[in-house]
Amino acid sequence: MSHYLYAEGPADQVQNAARHLEVLFEEDGFAISNFEIDEDAKVWALSLYPAEEIADEALSRALDNLKTQDISLPLEKVTLPDEDWVSKSLEGLVPVEAGRFVIHGSHDVGMNTKGRIPVQINAGQAFGTGHHGTTAGCLKVLSEELKQIQPERILDLGTGSAVLAIALAKLLKQTIVATDIDPISVETSRDNVRINEVHPYVKLACASGFSHPIFKEEGPFDLIVANILAGPLCDMAKDVAANTMLGGRIVLSGLLPHQKAKVVAAYRQQGFHLLRAVEEDGWLVLVLQS
Ligand SMILES: C[S@@+](CC[C@H](N)C(=O)[O-])C[C@H]1O[C@@H](n2cnc3c(N)ncnc32)[C@H](O)[C@@H]1O
């Protein structure tokens, strides 16, 4: 069993709470993430990952702190029975063909991939089984892009289950940097990377945006794929630009068609131009070049 603290609420309350809790738990080094889960309703989620043995204490410290700050957020301890999550996520998971890849669960190992590159994903608690339009869209677009370009430094920002990083590593057999703000995703990624035997290629790190030494060590990049929501993508435009080589390409997903103009404008301001926009299952994938 593992636990974490979780709350959903209005953007300002969640962001405010995250700022205070970051200060409160700075010395403990607990990871905190906050991100938009429903852009139209402006609902955000906050997750805090305390050391397992003091999860209850962390919850009461957090609640006391929020009360003092007059922030009302229904923070609670969430239990994750690990095995159940894994098996649940695999239930009914059928293989998904996307571009040059087929994403499948452990029960389909050995299937006929019809010439596609198999990527085995045990999603566990991380996003990215290939069943979501954003993931499938990225895989299709990357398959097309890699017919035209030969990137040397590749970053998968917001890797989730590491599905994109594994697909890229299997196809290109070269280093792929894969990062996520969520430590549970990074753990899940580590397992998936090992299962797919691409551990010599995929370098994982837990990082919020670009705040980690790995970006200096491995960047700047000539291909970045980031399947994150429109809001964070806009917020990170400057950092993405700073970590992209001149002429490098970025593949952005996690946005809806009506958010295209906002995201493109944010990246235009940073010197990118739009190469193409592809729709997959109601979601948009943008390819831009610096
Ligand atoms: C929609 S999932 C994409 C997962 C996978 N790349 C895919 O295509 O299926 C977005 C991921 O981005 C991560 N994320 C959100 N905000 C982030 C940030 N500021 N920095 C790094 N990762 C972030 C989330 O934890 C989540 O795992």
Side-chain angles (χ1 to χ4, degrees):
M1 295 261 227
S2 57
H3 298 91
Y4 67 106
L5 311 187
Y6 182 81
E8 291 176 6
D12 55 340
Q13 292 279 65
V14 169
Q15 289 167 1
N16 204 4
R19 268 194 298 276
H20 286 292
L21 296 179
E22 261 166 28
V23 176
L24 180 69
F25 293 112
E26 194 175 1
E27 286 192 3
D28 301 280
F30 300 157
I32 297 176
S33 67
N34 65 105
F35 49 88
E36 197 168 42
I37 54 171
D38 184 336
E39 190 150 21
D40 292 332
K42 305 229 174 316
V43 177
W44 279 54
L46 182 149
S47 305
L48 193 154
Y49 302 90
E52 187 56 31
E53 59 282 10
I54 60 158
D56 288 320
E57 184 198 323
L59 177 61
S60 62
R61 274 172 68 197
L63 288 172
D64 286 348
N65 182 276
L66 295 182
K67 203 170 164 190
T68 318
Q69 307 298 335
D70 228 6
I71 300 170
S72 123
L73 207 60
L75 193 68
E76 59 181 5
K77 191 172 92 168
V78 178
T79 305
L80 288 169
D82 297 337
E83 284 183 14
D84 283 355
W85 267 87
V86 173
S87 45
K88 245 192 188 159
S89 71
L90 293 175
E91 268 170 26
L93 206 67
V94 293
V96 176
E97 295 174 359
R100 299 189 57 184
F101 309 100
V102 55
I103 316 300
H104 66 85
S106 54
H107 46 291
D108 282 313
V109 169
M111 62 183 279
N112 178 3
T113 66
K114 297 181 245 163
R116 289 189 160 89
I117 297 170
V119 176
Q120 183 185 333
I121 292 297
N122 294 339
Q125 298 148 35
F127 184 104
T129 56
H131 289 73
H132 199 269
T134 58
T135 313
C138 284
L139 289 168
K140 286 183 184 172
V141 166
L142 288 169
S143 300
E144 290 300 315
E145 284 298 307
L146 292 167
K147 288 181 191 159
Q148 304 165 27
I149 56 168
Q150 293 176 314
E152 289 179 2
R153 289 171 180 257
I154 304 178
L155 168 65
D156 173 14
L157 185 73
T159 195
S161 64
V163 55
L164 304 179
I166 294 167
L168 290 167
K170 281 197 149 183
L171 177 64
L172 302 172
K173 299 196 169 31
Q174 68 183 69
T175 299
I176 314 292
V177 176
T179 63
D180 203 288
I181 195 171
D182 173 9
I184 294 179
S185 289
V186 176
E187 277 317 299
T188 306
S189 290
R190 218 174 286 290
D191 290 342
N192 285 329
V193 164
R194 225 176 291 122
I195 290 166
N196 285 277
E197 298 179 352
V198 287
H199 42 284
Y201 302 117
V202 180
K203 292 194 175 178
L204 284 164
C206 188
S208 165
F210 288 87
S211 53
H212 193 285
I214 197 167
F215 299 105
K216 269 228 165 72
E217 288 158 19
E218 302 290 335
F221 303 92
D222 50 359
L223 178 63
I224 297 180
V225 56
N227 177 11
I228 308 183
L229 293 169
L233 284 175
C234 290
D235 294 344
M236 282 194 273
K238 199 170 175 188
D239 287 339
V240 170
N243 285 274
T244 306
M245 284 180 197
L246 191 62
R249 293 191 187 190
I250 57 172
V251 174
L252 306 180
S253 189
L255 58 141
L256 297 162
H258 73 270
Q259 298 166 327
K260 177 182 165 190
K262 184 172 89 173
V263 176
V264 171
Y267 281 83
R268 272 214 187 104
Q269 273 185 9
Q270 302 300 330
F272 287 93
H273 60 275
L274 182 67
L275 294 181
R276 60 196 179 109
V278 178
E279 198 171 327
E280 175 74 24
D281 206 14
W283 294 85
L284 263 198
V285 183
L286 303 179
V287 184
L288 298 106
Q289 188 168 29
S290 81

